[in-house]
């Protein structure tokens, strides 16, 4: 299964980081195997910070910690056509361009407030996401949210999802049902 | 298996197909000690062992259920089915695996494996009544059914007890009660609608669906190794609890346990062998889908349960000097009068009430509204009518505006929506000679068998039924105070209902039908057809329960005839 392969890569990457002395110069690797998207480790890091800006860590982990960025990459890579993939890649560049224009530095080097401002300008369409027909930001946001809400941590640890035992009650008091 | 000698290839019964009805034939014959060969064109799927996704959590699906674009693009037909998703795609036939010719658009959804589509079905099990069996005779279409409710009622009971059917005894003559396990619950809004409809209309009923779920396991289910339905609502993956009925969890392992079943997967049936001297069928020609070798198997009795379309294909391809147009096809009607269910219509709305209540958990079932049009007499400008689903729920809506901690907070604290309600239509279609399946004259599949050609379409009656469904449900919804009512015609092609029926219809007269009242070919008595192909008319109920009952009934008859040496 591809997921296992991906996990293995994550573990191998983690192991490599653990054993390599920090002074060894090595090109960073991306942590997910993709078929179509040509993503660099820096772009992956950008994306991780982008999703974490959208849904930041609080007392509950944010989108980066639950792996929303990996999910976004996987979905764009497997479930969308080339047009969307191209617009997504251009979109990542676009975010850095906006950051540079507004704050004179790349997105990851921006402060949290500046990052939020960059993404908010796209979210509120104050800055056009792209001049082309595919608007990448709504899709990026939608997938980030989906990846977050359907992550193991949120579903299991926060919302208490369990496969079994199951039940169905057709009419319960909303107040008493807060937990489920 | 030693296939060298003819005696090793000889059985008392051959069952073609291991799905919903074939599984029942296998069970009935082996239980009585008859040496039975069950032929399955696809792979084996063992209960539990071969349900790779069954215990996966939602986050373990790398696309959260969605299929890669590449898979969707390669399978436009299968992709139209709601269950063809990341968790169950492995149980569907891929479009290029077995092509067919669509003279008119027809979505043929298939499951080529042991258990067939019984792994994937929607599990609704409503009985027919005489209002259904008497339909063709009363309204002057197709031919009269050779059976009535009293003929099948004990067999409904027989299969219901074994399969495990959950339901409520509603006392509705047009939808007879059965042997029910504990019913599932209606929601507050469904109960409210039920009362409102009963108040506003005579003879319109809203009930909880009768469905093949073990809600209250009886010793017979425990004996099958099945336990209580856990309401996971992940049935299409195969159920580790045997919570719903499938051949894989129930009839096939039951048959296996008798020691009298030989199950042969990867066996594509080419044709049935007719012996001109003996004047009966003597066996089946099988192509091993791996070796492509043709092997003959022999038996006294042959049950054809290949699923409606492939049953037609097998019979049409079973030609001989006696039957040049296909086995039993003296009248030329084989493949004709093909029908299905009209599933094109949906209606949705909201209800601004019961705000203090919601549902808890999931329900692998829904509400059901039996046919109320033209039941006791003809009252509209169209023939027959429709049943409908009716379900309600409140969703957890997420406000996705903004970014940052605000957004996160809103995501983690979804807001309960208003109650949403919805219905879908299940319309009876009228079998017609012009709706048919046939063999393509030139194209063949990879086993050298002619491709099946489908020529099936909607007609005016179907359009009128759809219009009436929209009108009546809009009225019923309005009277109940539902708002934001929206109707939708999916315009889907026939076939996607996955209720394809007919082509080898039952009837009293060999001149106008293929099968008699015992599902025997009129002209070749040791061949029985008890899957969807045998259906004379379609009525509005989900058909699987009726196939199961007809199969058990026909198997019982066949065994009695074998004992009497009539077969």
């Amino acid at each position: 299964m591809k997921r296992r392969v991906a996990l293995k890569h994550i573990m191998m990457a983690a192991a490599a980081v653990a054993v390599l002395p920090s002074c060894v110069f090595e090109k960073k690797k991306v942590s997910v195997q993709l078929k179509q998207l040509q993503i660099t480790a820096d772009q992956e890091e950008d994306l991780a910070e982008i999703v974490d800006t959208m849904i930041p860590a609080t007392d509950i982990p944010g989108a980066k910690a639950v792996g929303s960025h990996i999910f976004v990459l996987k979905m764009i890579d497997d479930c969308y056509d080339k047009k969307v993939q191209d617009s997504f890649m251009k979109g990542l560049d676009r975010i850095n361009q906006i950051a540079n224009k507004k704050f004179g530095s790349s997105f990851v080097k921006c402060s949290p407030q500046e990052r939020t401002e960059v993404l908010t300008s796209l979210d509120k369409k104050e800055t056009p996401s792209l001049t082309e027909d595919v608007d990448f930001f709504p899709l990026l946001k939608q997938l980030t949210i989906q990846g977050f809400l359907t992550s193991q941590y949120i579903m299991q640890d926060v919302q208490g999802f369990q496969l079994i035992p199951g039940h169905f009650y057709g009419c319960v008091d909303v107040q008493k049902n807060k937990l489920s | 298996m030693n296939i060298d000698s003819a005696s090793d290839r000889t059985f008392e019964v051959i069952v073609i197909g291991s799905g919903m009805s074939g599984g029942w034939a296998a069970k009935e014959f082996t239980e009585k000690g008859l040496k039975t060969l069950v032929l399955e064109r696809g792979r084996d799927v063992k209960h539990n062992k071969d349900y790779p996704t069954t215990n996966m959590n939602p986050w373990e699906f790398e696309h959260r259920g969605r299929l890669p674009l590449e898979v969707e693009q390669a399978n436009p037909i299968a992709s139209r089915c709601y269950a063809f998703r990341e968790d169950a795609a492995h149980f569907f036939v891929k479009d290029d695996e077995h092509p067919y010719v669509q003279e008119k658009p027809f979505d043929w959804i298939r499951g080529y494996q042991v258990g067939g589509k019984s792994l994937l079905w929607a599990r609704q099990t409503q009985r027919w009544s005489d209002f259904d069996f008497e339909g063709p005779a009363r309204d002057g279409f197709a031919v009269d059914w050779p059976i009535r409710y009293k003929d099948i009622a004990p067999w409904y009971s027989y299969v219901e007890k074994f399969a495990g059917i959950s339901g409520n005894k509603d006392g509705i003559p047009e939808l007879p009660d059965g042997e029910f396990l504990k019913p599932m619950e209606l929601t507050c809004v469904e109960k409210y609608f039920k009362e409102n409809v009963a108040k506003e209309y005579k003879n319109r009923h809203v009930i909880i669906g009768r469905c093949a779920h073990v809600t209250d396991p009886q010793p017979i289910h425990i004996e099958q190794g099945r336990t209580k339905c856990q309401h996971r609502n992940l049935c299409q993956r195969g159920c580790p609890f045997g919570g719903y009925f499938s051949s894989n969890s129930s009839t096939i392992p039951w048959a296996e346990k008798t020691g009298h079943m030989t199950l042969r997967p990867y066996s594509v049936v080419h044709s049935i062998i007719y012996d001109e001297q003996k004047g009966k069928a003597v066996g089946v020609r099988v192509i091993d889908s791996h070796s492509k070798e043709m092997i003959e198997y022999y038996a006294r009795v042959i049950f054809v349960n290949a699923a409606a379309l492939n049953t037609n294909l097998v019979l049409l391809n079973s030609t001989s000097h006696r039957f040049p147009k296909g086995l039993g096809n003296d009248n030329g009607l084989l493949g004709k009068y093909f029908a299905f269910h009209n599933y094109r219509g949906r209606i949705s709305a909201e209800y601004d009430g019961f705000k203090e209540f919601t549902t808890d958990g999931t329900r692998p079932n829904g509400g059901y509204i039996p046919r109320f049009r033209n039941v006791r007499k003809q009252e509209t400008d169209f023939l027959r009518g429709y049943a409908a689903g009716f379900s309600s729920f409140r969703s957890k809506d997420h406000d996705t505006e903004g970014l940052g901690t605000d957004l996160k907070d809103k995501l983690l604290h979804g807001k309960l929506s208003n109650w949403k309600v919805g219905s879908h239509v299940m319309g009876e279609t009228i079998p017609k000679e012009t709706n048919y399946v046939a063999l393509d004259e030139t194209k063949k599949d990879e086993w050298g068998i002619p491709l099946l050609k489908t020529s099936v379409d909607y007609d005016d009656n179907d359009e009128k039924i759809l219009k009436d469904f929209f009108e009546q449900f809009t009225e019923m919804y309005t009277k109940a105070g539902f708002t934001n009512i929206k109707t939708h015609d999916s315009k889907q092609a026939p076939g996607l209902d996955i209720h394809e029926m007919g082509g080898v219809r039952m009837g009293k007269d060999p001149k106008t039908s293929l099968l008699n009242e015992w599902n025997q070919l009129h002209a070749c008595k040791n061949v029985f057809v008890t899957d969807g192909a045998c259906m004379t008319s379609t009525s509005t109920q989900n058909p699987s329960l009726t196939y199961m009952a007809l199969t058990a009934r026909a198997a019982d008859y066949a065994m009695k005839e074998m004992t009497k040496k009539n077969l």
Side-chain angles (χ1 to χ4, degrees):
Chain A
M1 269 186 58
K2 283 181 229 133
R3 188 181 63 87
R4 295 225 176 87
V5 174
L7 276 178
K8 211 168 114 191
H9 279 258
I10 292 170
M11 289 190 297
M12 276 161 47
V17 170
V19 296
L20 285 173
S22 58
C23 59
V24 173
F25 178 80
E26 179 152 319
K27 209 175 164 221
K28 286 185 283 179
K29 295 236 170 70
V30 288
S31 58
V32 58
Q33 265 203 334
L34 301 172
K35 291 185 201 125
Q36 309 297 334
L37 297 179
Q38 304 283 328
I39 290 277
T40 65
D42 285 340
Q43 281 171 316
E44 183 186 325
E45 205 182 315
D46 284 356
L47 185 61
E49 295 310 321
I50 290 166
V51 301
D52 221 42
T53 303
M54 290 194 218
I55 307 173
T58 50
D59 52 333
I60 289 168
K64 179 168 80 172
V66 303
S68 269
H69 55 301
I70 304 293
F71 174 70
V72 169
L73 288 173
K74 198 72 203 156
M75 290 298 286
I76 302 271
D77 195 52
D78 287 341
C79 299
Y80 292 88
D81 61 20
K82 193 168 179 312
K83 202 167 134 191
V84 174
Q85 288 165 352
D86 289 348
S87 112
F88 172 77
M89 291 303 291
K90 283 183 196 156
L92 290 182
D93 289 346
R94 180 88 177 129
I95 288 171
N96 271 319
Q97 283 162 17
I98 298 168
N100 266 309
K101 205 169 149 195
K102 277 188 190 260
F103 304 109
S105 71
S106 69
F107 184 78
V108 289
K109 292 204 174 115
C110 285
S111 73
Q113 287 76 12
E114 290 167 343
R115 289 179 186 181
T116 303
E117 214 172 298
V118 170
L119 297 189
T120 300
S121 73
L122 285 164
D123 192 39
K124 295 202 166 143
K125 298 188 191 293
E126 287 158 6
T127 314
S129 329
L130 264 192
T131 49
E132 290 163 39
D133 22 322
V134 186
D135 191 358
F136 82 96
F137 195 77
L139 178 62
L140 171 59
K141 183 174 171 183
Q142 176 209 316
L143 290 173
T144 302
I145 291 171
Q146 189 190 358
F148 176 72
L149 287 176
T150 59
S151 66
Q152 178 170 7
Y153 187 87
I154 299 300
M155 285 195 85
Q156 202 169 46
D157 297 16
V158 179
Q159 290 169 338
F161 173 87
Q162 51 186 23
L163 272 175
I164 53 160
H167 57 264
F168 180 77
Y169 306 120
C171 200
V172 297
D173 197 300
V174 169
Q175 295 308 316
K176 287 180 192 152
N177 194 39
K178 274 273 161 66
L179 284 175
S180 46
Chain B
M1 196 191 313
N2 180 359
I3 51 163
D4 293 343
S5 86
S7 71
D8 288 335
R9 286 179 281 122
T10 302
F11 297 80
E12 280 167 296
V13 182
I14 292 174
V15 179
I16 302 172
S18 63
M20 192 63 77
S21 62
W24 268 98
K27 171 188 171 288
E28 295 307 300
F29 287 116
T30 56
E31 213 172 22
K32 298 275 164 63
L34 273 70
K35 199 179 153 201
T36 304
L37 173 68
V38 178
L39 296 168
E40 167 52 52
R41 66 180 294 153
R43 68 190 171 101
D44 196 4
V45 170
K46 291 258 184 269
H47 181 50
N48 268 338
K49 190 175 149 279
D50 296 317
Y51 303 158
T53 58
T54 192
N55 286 320
M56 282 171 70
N57 284 298
W59 55 86
E60 294 178 283
F61 292 94
E62 57 182 2
H63 308 102
R64 302 295 191 272
R66 190 160 158 181
L67 284 166
L69 187 64
E70 195 180 32
V71 178
E72 284 181 357
Q73 283 174 339
N75 298 283
I77 298 167
S79 292
R80 288 185 200 116
C81 178
Y82 62 94
F84 185 69
R85 290 177 51 78
E86 200 171 19
D87 63 343
H90 48 281
F91 291 143
F92 285 83
V93 170
K94 308 303 174 290
D95 289 11
D96 63 355
E97 280 171 10
H98 189 199
Y100 59 102
V101 180
Q102 301 177 57
E103 275 191 352
K104 292 171 184 167
F106 187 93
D107 292 331
W108 189 9
I109 307 297
R110 292 154 289 173
Y112 289 168
Q113 63 246 332
V114 168
K117 297 192 295 290
S118 77
L119 279 166
L120 298 163
W121 66 314
R123 311 166 309 282
Q124 286 289 306
T125 44
Q126 328 299 339
R127 286 188 179 199
W128 280 41
S129 73
D130 275 337
F131 294 108
D132 306 302
F133 285 112
E134 287 171 0
R138 189 193 80 180
D139 293 346
F141 66 94
V143 289
D144 189 13
W145 275 88
I147 58 168
R148 287 295 181 265
Y149 181 64
K150 66 172 168 43
D151 300 307
I152 197 173
W155 294 100
Y156 273 138
S157 289
Y158 178 80
V159 297
E160 282 167 348
K161 282 181 197 157
F162 189 83
I165 305 297
S166 149
N168 184 53
K169 291 201 188 262
D170 298 295
I172 303 167
E174 53 270 41
L175 201 78
D177 291 333
E179 311 292 331
F180 296 147
L181 306 173
K182 205 174 81 178
M184 292 187 191
E185 284 185 23
L186 290 171
T187 70
C188 4
V189 170
E190 289 157 8
K191 281 182 193 158
Y192 159 73
F193 188 58
K194 176 189 176 81
E195 283 156 24
N196 195 269
V197 165
K199 192 180 79 193
E200 298 281 351
Y201 300 89
K202 203 178 158 222
N203 295 323
R204 294 195 188 182
H205 310 277
V206 180
I207 62 168
I208 184 68
R210 289 104 188 240
C211 62
H213 283 258
V214 179
T215 47
D216 181 17
Q218 301 300 303
I220 188 66
H221 308 120
I222 307 290
E223 206 183 328
Q224 294 168 45
R226 298 170 59 200
T227 53
K228 194 173 165 179
C229 165
Q230 293 294 312
H231 284 256
R232 304 188 327 153
N233 205 13
L234 303 172
C235 314
Q236 68 282 356
R237 300 179 185 177
C239 181
F241 304 95
Y244 74 94
F245 172 88
S246 65
S247 299
N248 311 67
S249 67
S250 180
T251 45
I252 293 290
W254 190 268
E256 186 123 59
K257 228 162 43 181
T258 64
H260 300 298
M261 177 178 74
T262 302
L263 179 64
R264 193 182 198 287
Y266 302 113
S267 302
V268 178
V269 170
H270 174 277
S271 53
I272 293 166
I273 307 161
Y274 183 77
D275 187 308
E276 314 269 350
Q277 269 76 46
K278 290 179 180 158
K280 62 177 186 177
V282 291
V284 171
R285 291 181 198 94
V286 167
I287 298 165
D288 184 300
S289 66
H290 286 322
S291 68
K292 310 267 162 174
E293 183 191 6
M294 190 183 276
I295 308 159
E296 294 188 350
Y297 291 96
Y298 309 105
R300 279 169 74 188
V301 165
I302 295 158
F303 263 59
V304 194
N305 301 87
L309 282 161
N310 274 324
T311 286
N312 276 278
L313 174 58
V314 167
L315 293 178
L316 285 164
N317 201 41
S318 300
T319 51
S320 55
H321 180 68
R322 165 72 183 82
F323 293 111
K325 294 180 295 184
L327 191 64
N329 190 17
D330 286 336
N331 52 31
L333 296 180
L334 180 59
K336 294 177 178 169
Y337 294 92
F338 203 82
F340 57 99
H341 279 154
N342 179 353
Y343 265 62
R344 271 168 47 187
R346 283 179 183 282
I347 179 164
S348 65
E350 285 181 39
Y351 186 58
D352 189 27
F354 291 105
K355 288 202 187 273
E356 62 277 37
F357 298 108
T358 186
T359 58
D360 184 12
T362 49
R363 182 180 62 182
N365 189 10
Y368 184 88
I369 301 173
R371 176 166 69 98
F372 52 81
R373 280 306 208 188
N374 304 322
V375 175
R376 283 161 186 83
K377 60 177 199 314
Q378 184 64 34
E379 59 198 17
T380 66
D381 68 341
F382 55 85
L383 285 182
R384 314 308 294 162
Y386 48 88
F390 178 72
S391 289
S392 69
F393 64 98
R394 296 181 83 174
S395 58
K396 218 164 223 176
D397 288 353
H398 296 109
D399 178 354
T400 58
E401 243 185 63
L403 294 173
T405 47
D406 270 5
L407 171 64
K408 187 177 182 186
D409 199 52
K410 285 186 284 191
L411 292 177
L412 291 173
H413 301 96
K415 234 175 62 194
L416 271 182
S417 69
N418 265 355
W419 283 93
K420 295 173 188 172
V421 300
S423 292
H424 65 280
V425 72
M426 296 173 270
E428 177 161 357
T429 70
I430 308 298
K432 296 180 297 280
E433 191 164 8
T434 48
N435 272 351
Y436 66 89
V437 299
L439 301 183
D440 191 83
E441 292 79 8
T442 51
K443 298 192 186 83
K444 294 194 168 173
D445 65 19
E446 60 177 301
W447 307 281
I449 299 168
L451 295 193
L452 193 72
K453 188 166 70 179
T454 60
S455 192
V456 180
D457 208 351
Y458 296 100
D459 62 16
D460 275 354
N461 203 66
D462 300 320
E463 302 298 336
K464 284 178 180 166
I465 277 185
L466 195 60
K467 188 165 164 276
D468 192 69
F469 164 73
F470 287 146
E471 285 169 4
Q472 292 304 309
F473 273 69
T474 300
E475 186 186 284
M476 287 153 74
Y477 277 20
T478 306
K479 284 183 176 175
F482 297 163
T483 56
N484 197 15
I485 299 171
K486 287 177 186 154
T487 60
H488 175 68
D489 176 359
S490 71
K491 303 244 164 52
Q492 66 188 46
L496 196 55
D497 42 296
I498 329 185
H499 286 179
E500 59 272 20
M501 290 177 250
V504 198
R505 70 183 178 190
M506 295 171 75
K508 291 171 177 163
D509 185 351
K511 288 197 194 72
T512 55
S513 62
L514 278 300
L515 303 168
N516 68 11
E517 75 269 37
W518 300 107
N519 297 74
Q520 285 175 294
L521 279 176
H522 288 298
C524 186
K525 290 278 195 295
N526 66 335
V527 174
F528 293 72
V529 176
T530 66
D531 62 11
C534 77
M535 300 295 276
T536 309
S537 65
T538 71
S539 201
T540 57
Q541 289 88 330
N542 308 61
S544 293
L545 181 73
T546 300
Y547 306 163
M548 295 192 232
L550 286 173
T551 303
R553 177 177 176 270
D556 178 69
Y557 174 79
M559 286 186 277
K560 283 177 181 153
E561 288 294 286
M562 288 166 94
T563 310
K564 289 184 200 155
K565 307 271 183 237
N566 290 337
L567 287 176

